[in-house]
Amino acid sequence: MNNQELMHGKVKTLYDTGDAEKVLIKYEDKVTAFDGKMVDYPDGKGKVCCLISALLFEKLSAAGIRTHYLDLPSLNTMLCRRLTIVPVEVICRNIAAGSLVKNTDGLKEGQLLQPPIVEFFLKDDAKGDPLLTEDRVRLMGVDPEPLKEQALMVNGQLQVLFTLLGFDLVDFKLEFGYDGHGDLYLADELSPDSMRLWKKGTQERFDKDLFRKDEGDIVTAYKHILTQLRQFA
């Protein structure tokens, strides 16, 4: 790739396209956890995450949800709208797991959350991505309401899809950005790297917790998700 590099993230690299409204996002063969304290370089991981993300963005776009995804010029690279990213990570939770259980008295892993919970976190690894209240999000000059509204819309679409595939969508992370016209778009990626997926009835993991907990090969698990998604492509 001869395009000028704009930004190198933890697992993706952003490149210029020569078009002020478009960027290329390359998915790297890399996985991190615990704010970069755990790192590995699984072969083929970038390609499978890119392909899963493309399929899910296409599904959401067909449902009327605006996403940054435009095209797939190669198996590990997306052409996307250039956005100004909101420095807030949005987490939607359907089932109690992870930090929610760890930091909340009385919750047990696997407990159903009705209605789903939407949380906000500062997008800042150096500070440990701290939890934000909606008022704190507003103090940052960001309106949390459209972020929450969009997150719940995405959740509704993804829950239906993964239920058809035989998986529980436990929780997932979203990022958003604004284009030059002030319109809000779903950004970043949608893959098992940024969500928890449990096989219905067994709670078998098909997500990055396999890496966090050293319980299995993430690329094999992610490829299984991709194969299942392609049934509905």
Side-chain angles (χ1 to χ4, degrees):
M1 183 177 293
N2 297 319
N3 303 74
Q4 180 184 357
E5 182 178 315
L6 298 175
M7 187 182 70
H8 191 78
K10 285 186 290 188
V11 296
K12 294 187 291 294
T13 306
L14 193 69
Y15 293 93
D16 186 40
T17 63
D19 185 327
E21 296 185 352
K22 298 176 183 178
V23 293
L24 287 168
I25 300 176
K26 181 183 177 184
Y27 287 62
E28 307 288 352
D29 286 346
K30 183 179 179 182
V31 59
T32 71
F34 306 115
D35 296 327
K37 295 180 179 66
M38 287 181 65
V39 182
D40 196 12
Y41 300 87
D43 185 50
K45 185 258 185 184
K47 179 175 70 175
V48 71
C49 283
C50 184
L51 293 173
I52 289 172
S53 294
L55 282 172
L56 293 179
F57 281 134
E58 288 171 356
K59 293 293 184 183
L60 294 176
S61 294
I65 295 171
R66 289 186 297 208
T67 85
H68 71 159
Y69 172 75
L70 295 171
D71 199 2
L72 197 68
S74 72
L75 295 180
N76 68 345
T77 305
M78 281 186 184
L79 179 67
C80 296
R81 289 179 176 84
R82 186 187 295 259
L83 303 175
T84 299
I85 299 297
V86 178
V88 175
E89 295 180 345
V90 183
I91 309 291
C92 189
R93 303 183 186 275
N94 298 303
I95 297 173
S99 63
L100 182 67
V101 174
K102 179 181 177 182
N103 299 323
T104 309
D105 286 344
L107 273 185
K108 295 182 179 179
E109 184 172 82
Q111 184 174 328
L112 189 63
L113 305 172
Q114 290 185 321
I117 292 173
V118 176
E119 297 181 318
F120 304 95
F121 294 81
L122 181 65
K123 185 176 164 60
D124 190 331
D125 286 343
K127 296 180 179 179
D129 298 333
L131 179 67
L132 298 170
T133 64
E134 291 191 19
D135 286 337
R136 288 192 183 190
V137 174
R138 291 189 185 95
L139 285 174
M140 294 170 57
V142 176
D143 184 357
E145 291 304 320
L147 305 182
K148 183 174 183 178
E149 179 182 349
Q150 288 294 307
L152 290 172
M153 289 175 62
V154 171
N155 187 47
Q157 294 294 323
L158 294 185
Q159 272 197 305
V160 170
L161 177 58
F162 283 113
T163 295
L164 288 172
L165 298 178
F167 294 95
D168 286 321
L169 178 61
V170 177
D171 55 36
F172 57 96
K173 174 182 74 72
L174 299 177
E175 294 186 22
F176 294 91
Y178 288 94
D179 69 2
H181 305 287
D183 292 323
L184 185 67
Y185 286 84
L186 179 62
D188 196 43
E189 72 175 285
L190 285 173
S191 79
D193 244 29
S194 58
M195 60 181 66
R196 285 188 174 92
L197 293 169
W198 293 350
K199 188 173 182 180
K200 284 186 176 294
T202 69
Q203 294 190 1
E204 181 183 356
R205 304 177 196 278
F206 286 81
D207 54 62
K208 196 164 74 171
D209 272 351
L210 291 170
F211 172 66
R212 293 187 185 99
K213 300 173 182 290
D214 193 23
E215 291 182 352
D217 176 45
I218 61 169
V219 175
T220 298
Y222 292 10
K223 284 181 177 178
H224 179 72
I225 297 296
L226 177 60
T227 299
Q228 297 300 305
L229 282 170
R230 279 175 166 163
Q231 296 180 16
F232 291 85

